[in-house]
Amino acid sequence: MYPKKLEKFLLKVQKPGRYTGGELNSVVKDKSKVDIRYAFCFPDTYEIGMSHLGMKILYSLVNAREDAWCERVFAPWTDMEAVMRENDILLYGLESGDEIRNFDILGFTMQYELSYTNVLNMLDLAGLPLRSKDRTSLTPVVIAGGACVCNAEPMAEFFDITLPGDGEEVTNELIDLLKEYKAKGASKQEFLQAAAQIKGVYVPSLYEVEYNEDNTVKSVNPTCGAPEKVEKRNVADLDSMFSPSEFVVPFLEVVHDRTTVEIFRGCIRGCRFCQAGFLNRPLRRKSPEVVEAQCKAICDSTGYDEISLCSLSTSDYKGLEKLITNMLPWTIEEKINIALPSLRADNFPKELMEKLNAVRRSGLTFAPEAGTQRLRDVINKNITEKEVLTTAAQAFSGGWTAVKLYFMIGLPTETEEDIEGIANLAQAVVDEYYKNPDKPKGKSVSVSISVASLVPKPFTPFQWEPQDKPDVLIEKQNYLVSCVKTRKVNVSRHVPWTSFLEGVFARGDRRLADVIETAWRKGCKFDGWAECLKPDMWEESFAENGIDPYFYTARRREYDEILPWDHMDYGVTKKFLVNENKKAHKGETTACCREKCAGCGANKLNGGVCDEIGKTVV
Amino acid sequence: MKSVRLWFKKDGLAVYISHLDMNRCMTRAVRRAEIPLWYTEGFNPHPYMTFLMPLPLGQVGMREPLDIRIEGEMSFGEIKKRLNAVMPEGIEIIDVAKPECKPNAIAAAEYEIIAEFANEGEAQGFALGAASLIEGGVLNAEKRSKRGIKTVNLCEMVRKFEAEAKGNEVFITTILAAGNTVNLNAELLLSALLSQFGAETENTVIVRTKLLQENLSIFE
């Protein structure tokens, strides 16, 4: 429910349904009967936030407690922001319409670096000071989780607490602790010091960072008994882990509007550019019976007609065939479509593909990531051209006429030949279509290639690598376009400046806080939206604060440099990452975990267990 | 396979659900309610569902029709009970019945509008002025249609118009042309009237109370 004051403006903004609440399965409680009010804040629009599985899990998890009430908050679009600022309406929770500045916890999810200015904007719209040190009362505690908090340093000044790793257990522990400290009238400082003792809790203000003259980090020193290394939180057993049986069903069309159930966490592949593949190790698997029951429950409570079995590489799930075979009878009966995102071209049986298309046929997407075998070996994307072409041929004989291919440019050791290879591979897929004797008459083939730019990320083997500058990326993109000789292949590219900004924050340090605040004051927000990104304002903000952004992106770091995120422990050892980096430069691949354990070290977080290899001696 | 007409009320938070979003919302509701729906037999099967008269964003509908097709037997009472158990806030099934009239029999709709003004004087002036203007038979306004924007005389689409001021508020009861061929949105009429007098409302509520046939009998 929105604040009464807003009523007469709602029909003047785009998509008022973003701001009204009241969707099916949204949870409304009696506020006099709860101790902790939690605002789950997604720093982007409603449509994006409502597609995010993490929010659905934590929303249900907090609301499953009698003593707490979790509400949803999204970044208002610019038209709504103007209405709110003109009429003194503060940011509110969608369920109650109450101002979130009076809540106990504001929990932000940090899925991508380009939402940092939105966090500042939301704190300001809530009527709160931006910096942790300026919010002196115990509540609201401003916390953050999600992939970006593996290096929370650029946002360290703004958040009170970050939660690296899985949120399911630590969220409850933090709520319990806050409830206790609130009851005894403790100070914010007392609470933060106690919170820092919980495994998987990082309190940035308890760490002092010293810099060398060349601006690299000299040391990071914990104070007040905070741990030297903050180990990410790891949920050991996915079967008994909390999982929602209801999703809030939006009225508006959102990006992903369907039943989504995780089938495993982690990844066996070890693609060297992929941060998620390393951050979520060790591999933990949910059993097919549990997955199926969860899918059924959510479909029943929502009426959704699509299920997405979600993971980093769905076809690597042991028991996928059994799971789908068990699910097909009731999903076909109820006209429910099963979608499998993140399939690999090399290991998905054709028969299974055909069964899946019994209800509705979805698109076909491959991610070869690089254009030549040499470069695919460098990034450890262990997939061959032959595998891509064989699967494409299968798909064409099954009646598909459109294929999407994902690639990256700006990869380490990349040459012109590798970029040309992208166009050649796309052409080979087109040729494959015309080799098919049963191709539909009069129908042409369409191959779409989407080209992203590498952003080297913390906790990957590429964390020491320089990132291509925007002008270099533009040259490479143009070269690729010039290599494409047919209109059957169309190329879509990312905005290089966006990748650049993402790169600055991904591997940034605490000195960036002032830059982010300056940029926000100049009007930067929704930086991930091409129509909102303001490169000029950002350049001014870097200059005004005396920060060279290329220090963070364009420089090759030495293996022995102290990285701003070195005091976070995601299980995977630095030794392993260094070794992977060296192998990349030699063009050597590392076998996937199913073939041979690569010894990444992440199983130590899980009592020595990795569900891929079983228990090993730590 | 048989056709069933659902009659629903849409108010409260639900007025912010657009017509397109209503389609998805109701599809999911009938799925949750496990109504034995009939699905189209195509490349992409979907349940048959037709809103007979889209309700503009922001307006309350007191009795809006939605046709569905079901397979097998289920009583109207059971359908109503099941649907109401799973409806989101603001949408209520008030009746389930056999479709009596053909969808194209809808020719008009009755609306009740409450327009709140800054003071009593403005409300009085507007109520009197609006009624006499409509009586005069000429109120030109730009109307968007599929073929572009054109100027039309709205009075030709007004079948009844009464306005009465009570305090700051003006209560309007009006019957306007509705349907596939000629249709007048109550909001367009109101804004055309307001601009004639250079007036502005503090707040407006537009309620569609019933759908009517050409002879102004109830559409069933």
Side-chain angles (χ1 to χ4, degrees):
Chain A
M1 181 50 102
Y2 49 85
K4 190 76 192 151
K5 218 168 151 185
L6 195 59
E7 184 144 77
K8 59 179 175 183
F9 304 107
L10 274 174
L11 290 171
K12 299 194 167 85
V13 297
Q14 279 178 47
K15 303 189 184 179
R18 287 168 166 172
Y19 311 109
T20 57
E23 307 93 325
L24 183 88
N25 298 333
S26 59
V27 178
V28 176
K29 294 191 179 186
D30 178 348
K31 60 184 165 194
S32 66
K33 292 196 177 126
V34 295
D35 301 310
I36 295 292
R37 294 191 66 182
Y38 190 119
F40 193 102
C41 303
F42 196 98
D44 210 313
T45 61
Y46 178 92
E47 292 90 320
I48 297 184
M50 283 299 289
S51 309
H52 179 236
L53 179 61
M55 186 193 74
K56 296 171 197 289
I57 296 174
L58 293 176
Y59 180 80
S60 296
L61 178 137
V62 175
N63 280 326
R65 299 173 63 118
E66 270 191 20
D67 59 354
W69 182 10
C70 181
E71 302 189 32
R72 295 159 299 142
V73 185
F74 302 94
W77 190 247
T78 48
D79 58 345
M80 181 62 167
E81 181 185 340
V83 166
M84 292 172 73
R85 290 195 187 276
E86 270 163 38
N87 299 284
D88 299 318
I89 296 165
L90 295 179
L91 198 60
Y92 56 90
L94 275 185
E95 279 73 4
S96 65
D98 293 341
E99 294 171 355
I100 59 168
R101 63 174 172 161
N102 301 320
F103 281 35
D104 299 295
I105 300 178
L106 309 188
F108 284 90
T109 178
M110 304 309 302
Q111 298 301 312
Y112 32 88
E113 293 81 358
L114 296 169
S115 58
Y116 288 175
T117 50
N118 277 8
V119 173
L120 272 60
N121 203 37
M122 287 171 80
L123 288 171
D124 186 63
L125 279 167
L128 291 166
L130 303 182
R131 305 232 176 188
S132 170
K133 64 172 167 45
D134 300 325
R135 295 186 302 263
T136 49
S137 57
L138 172 61
T139 59
V141 181
V142 179
I143 69 174
C148 291
V149 305
C150 74
N151 176 25
E153 297 308 295
M155 291 295 282
E157 294 268 332
F158 308 108
F159 292 132
D160 299 322
I161 287 176
T162 66
L163 304 173
D166 301 326
E168 284 85 356
E169 294 167 354
V170 72
T171 297
N172 272 327
E173 290 164 26
L174 203 63
I175 290 174
D176 289 339
L177 188 76
L178 181 60
K179 195 175 148 185
E180 182 193 329
Y181 274 63
K182 209 181 143 188
K184 68 182 184 195
S187 72
K188 176 170 173 174
Q189 193 57 25
E190 286 166 326
F191 170 71
L192 291 180
Q193 286 181 20
Q197 299 304 319
I198 300 176
K199 191 186 263 190
V201 171
Y202 174 50
V203 180
S205 59
L206 299 182
Y207 294 76
E208 284 167 2
V209 183
E210 286 185 311
Y211 298 91
N212 294 310
E213 253 167 47
D214 65 359
N215 289 326
T216 55
V217 174
K218 187 176 177 193
S219 67
V220 176
N221 308 302
T223 64
C224 308
E228 202 151 311
K229 279 246 176 192
V230 180
E231 194 179 297
K232 79 149 176 169
R233 200 56 188 262
N234 174 77
V235 174
D237 179 14
L238 262 50
D239 280 349
S240 60
M241 176 182 76
F242 179 89
S243 186
S245 54
E246 289 184 344
F247 283 1
V248 175
V249 183
F251 294 121
L252 293 184
E253 188 162 13
V254 302
V255 183
H256 294 302
D257 201 6
R258 57 191 183 187
T259 296
T260 305
V261 172
E262 265 182 304
I263 54 178
F264 62 92
R265 281 187 191 173
C267 186
I268 63 169
R269 293 290 162 176
C271 304
R272 289 174 181 138
F273 55 85
C274 176
Q275 189 183 37
F278 292 100
L279 288 185
N280 296 296
R281 289 182 180 208
L283 190 117
R284 288 144 300 148
R285 180 175 174 271
K286 206 183 264 184
S287 59
E289 296 74 25
V290 175
V291 171
E292 185 175 357
Q294 291 174 351
C295 289
K296 184 104 181 57
I298 298 169
C299 285
D300 285 350
S301 67
T302 56
Y304 280 146
D305 60 4
E306 184 167 65
I307 294 170
S308 163
L309 298 174
C310 159
S311 73
L312 293 171
S313 180
T314 296
S315 44
D316 287 333
Y317 180 68
K318 278 185 195 161
L320 183 64
E321 200 158 353
K322 180 175 162 236
L323 172 65
I324 291 173
T325 311
N326 288 345
M327 284 174 73
L328 278 173
W330 63 268
T331 53
I332 290 175
E333 167 73 28
E334 296 175 28
K335 309 273 194 301
I336 294 168
N337 184 41
I338 302 175
L340 302 178
S342 309
L343 281 188
R344 282 179 64 95
D346 52 344
N347 65 349
F348 194 65
K350 187 186 172 191
E351 300 72 40
L352 204 51
M353 183 89 87
E354 278 164 6
K355 280 189 198 164
L356 271 176
N357 288 305
V359 179
R360 246 167 271 129
R361 170 176 287 180
S362 49
L364 196 64
T365 307
F366 302 122
E369 307 292 2
T372 59
Q373 195 56 47
R374 184 199 68 81
L375 195 54
R376 283 194 292 274
D377 289 346
V378 168
I379 63 176
N380 204 39
K381 183 86 192 184
N382 295 335
I383 177 176
T384 64
E385 179 161 334
K386 190 163 167 265
E387 285 163 340
V388 173
L389 296 180
T390 311
T391 320
Q394 272 179 16
F396 292 143
S397 70
W400 267 274
T401 57
V403 174
K404 250 193 239 172
L405 301 171
Y406 288 139
F407 292 98
M408 271 190 288
I409 56 169
L411 294 165
T413 76
E414 183 176 69
T415 63
E416 277 194 356
E417 195 187 319
D418 298 308
I419 293 169
E420 219 181 306
I422 296 175
N424 293 342
L425 183 52
Q427 183 63 51
V429 172
V430 171
D431 296 345
E432 208 59 49
Y433 178 80
Y434 288 102
K435 278 185 213 158
N436 170 24
D438 322 316
K439 64 175 183 294
K441 281 202 176 61
K443 260 200 138 178
S444 177
V445 64
S446 144
V447 177
S448 311
I449 56 183
S450 168
V451 189
S453 316
L454 174 74
V455 179
K457 296 272 169 117
F459 297 103
T460 69
F462 290 162
Q463 65 177 354
W464 297 277
E465 292 296 321
Q467 180 181 349
D468 275 349
K469 291 186 176 180
D471 51 335
V472 175
L473 290 171
I474 290 170
E475 267 173 41
K476 288 183 175 179
Q477 288 180 344
N478 291 341
Y479 181 64
L480 170 62
V481 171
S482 76
C483 292
V484 174
K485 306 290 186 215
T486 162
R487 291 171 70 183
K488 295 183 175 68
V489 174
N490 68 71
V491 183
S492 68
R493 7 178 184 177
H494 285 210
V495 182
W497 217 91
T498 305
S499 310
F500 161 66
L501 201 58
E502 185 184 332
V504 173
F505 296 134
R507 291 187 292 170
D509 56 32
R510 291 190 179 188
R511 300 181 308 139
L512 289 169
D514 291 338
V515 178
I516 297 171
E517 186 171 338
T518 307
W520 168 72
R521 291 198 186 280
K522 288 176 186 291
C524 292
K525 56 197 150 195
F526 288 108
D527 298 302
W529 294 71
E531 69 261 48
C532 295
L533 180 68
K534 300 183 173 80
D536 300 356
M537 295 296 129
W538 277 105
E539 272 164 14
E540 280 179 32
S541 306
F542 284 118
E544 283 171 27
N545 290 288
I547 299 274
D548 170 17
Y550 294 110
F551 169 78
Y552 299 104
T553 61
R555 181 170 67 88
R556 175 177 299 284
R557 290 156 171 80
E558 298 300 325
Y559 292 139
D560 61 2
E561 180 180 330
I562 297 175
L563 303 170
W565 54 91
D566 272 352
H567 53 300
M568 295 288 131
D569 181 2
Y570 273 75
V572 176
T573 61
K574 201 165 187 178
K575 193 175 141 213
F576 172 78
L577 294 175
V578 168
N579 194 32
E580 281 293 295
N581 182 277
K582 289 178 179 163
K583 283 172 88 176
H585 283 280
K586 285 185 268 182
E588 287 173 16
T589 59
T590 297
C592 81
C593 308
R594 188 153 296 169
E595 284 169 36
K596 185 171 178 286
C597 173
C600 69
N603 57 347
K604 75 160 194 249
L605 301 181
N606 203 35
V609 179
C610 168
D611 282 355
E612 191 54 41
I613 51 170
K615 193 173 169 76
T616 51
V617 183
V618 190
Chain B
M1 190 251 294
K2 87 176 169 190
S3 290
V4 176
R5 188 159 289 167
L6 310 176
W7 293 92
F8 66 92
K9 183 168 133 185
K10 184 178 179 225
D11 66 355
L13 288 175
V15 303
Y16 299 106
I17 307 174
S18 73
H19 174 62
L20 271 180
D21 295 338
M22 266 310 271
N23 212 326
R24 209 171 21 246
C25 166
M26 290 305 235
T27 307
R28 286 171 184 164
V30 290
R31 290 177 58 87
R32 285 193 298 274
E34 293 177 30
I35 309 281
L37 281 175
W38 177 81
Y39 277 75
T40 59
E41 290 153 4
F43 188 62
N44 192 354
H46 57 274
Y48 178 89
M49 193 170 267
T50 310
F51 289 87
L52 303 190
M53 213 28 237
L55 186 66
L57 191 70
Q59 299 185 8
V60 174
M62 295 304 287
R63 197 167 185 273
E64 298 292 316
L66 166 63
D67 284 0
I68 62 169
R69 286 183 190 167
I70 62 167
E71 263 183 327
E73 282 306 307
M74 184 175 281
S75 74
F76 292 156
E78 178 69 15
I79 292 176
K80 180 179 166 185
K81 194 178 87 189
R82 285 189 181 211
L83 280 172
N84 277 330
V86 299
M87 277 298 162
E89 201 180 327
I91 304 175
E92 186 193 340
I93 303 294
I94 48 178
D95 207 0
V96 177
K98 196 172 120 219
E100 294 291 344
C101 310
K102 288 215 169 92
N104 61 11
I106 298 174
E110 186 184 87
Y111 297 85
E112 284 178 8
I113 303 170
I114 305 172
E116 187 194 330
F117 290 85
N119 55 55
E120 261 177 62
E122 269 188 41
Q124 286 284 350
F126 180 78
L128 289 172
S132 70
L133 194 74
I134 300 284
E135 197 143 320
V138 182
L139 173 60
N140 288 323
E142 286 190 339
K143 192 171 182 296
R144 260 184 305 157
S145 74
K146 279 176 194 147
R147 265 162 286 164
I149 296 173
K150 57 177 183 179
T151 304
V152 291
N153 180 6
L154 300 187
C155 288
E156 287 168 8
M157 289 176 273
V158 180
R159 312 259 312 244
K160 175 186 170 186
F161 187 91
E162 289 168 5
E164 188 189 349
K166 283 180 195 161
N168 287 355
E169 292 174 330
V170 175
F171 292 80
I172 299 169
T173 306
T174 183
I175 295 176
L176 307 177
N180 285 336
T181 44
V182 199
N183 187 68
L184 175 57
N185 186 338
E187 200 182 330
L188 177 65
L189 176 69
L190 184 66
S191 64
L193 286 168
L194 288 168
S195 73
Q196 284 289 318
F197 300 106
E200 259 184 54
T201 58
E202 295 291 300
N203 210 0
T204 32
V205 179
I206 299 175
V207 181
R208 183 150 80 192
T209 48
K210 44 178 101 88
L211 297 179
L212 304 166
Q213 304 185 65
E214 187 56 42
N215 62 5
L216 300 191
S217 64
I218 295 273
F219 174 85
E220 288 289 353

